[in-house]
Amino acid sequence: MTDGADRDDTSRRWPRSVYEAGSEPDPRFTFANERTFLAWIRTALALLAAGIALEALEIPDHTALRLVLVVALSVLGASCSILAFFRWARAERALRESRPLPSPALAPVLAFGLAVAAIVIVVVLVAP
């Protein structure tokens, strides 16, 4: 007698567009892809925490600039979270279809966004 948990029922897995493609990859690769996704989520949380911390620091004479930075860090955090899911799905689908992994579109966006935010923060802290 076969238990329902013993069979591979892709119709219950979400997103179907990922799990209905190709065949099951080596679990080690799937787990590595999941760890990468979780690392991006931690990065998103750190960006959101930085935005909240910056709002909590009431830097005098720079209220408008602080608000811009808070919004920028929050948007970067939200974008990182959303794009991390799409990156995970693209990589998982590529693994299932035995294709090369897609290039990381999220890394350059995040790198340049953080560089701009860091420069603005330094200018704010150094400017009298």
Side-chain angles (χ1 to χ4, degrees), residues 10-75:
T10 57
S11 66
R12 292 185 183 195
R13 295 167 80 186
W14 184 85
R16 287 186 185 163
S17 62
V18 171
Y19 289 112
E20 289 178 346
S23 60
E24 286 292 320
D26 185 329
R28 293 174 294 179
F29 301 129
T30 296
F31 289 141
N33 189 30
E34 184 178 342
R35 285 190 303 273
T36 302
F37 168 73
L38 293 173
W40 283 114
I41 293 298
R42 285 190 302 273
T43 302
L45 285 170
L47 287 166
L48 291 171
I52 291 168
L54 195 56
E55 178 57 27
L57 288 173
E58 294 186 12
I59 301 171
D61 301 328
H62 294 291
T63 305
L65 195 51
R66 186 182 77 235
L67 181 61
V68 168
L69 282 171
V70 167
V71 169
L73 288 169
S74 299
V75 167

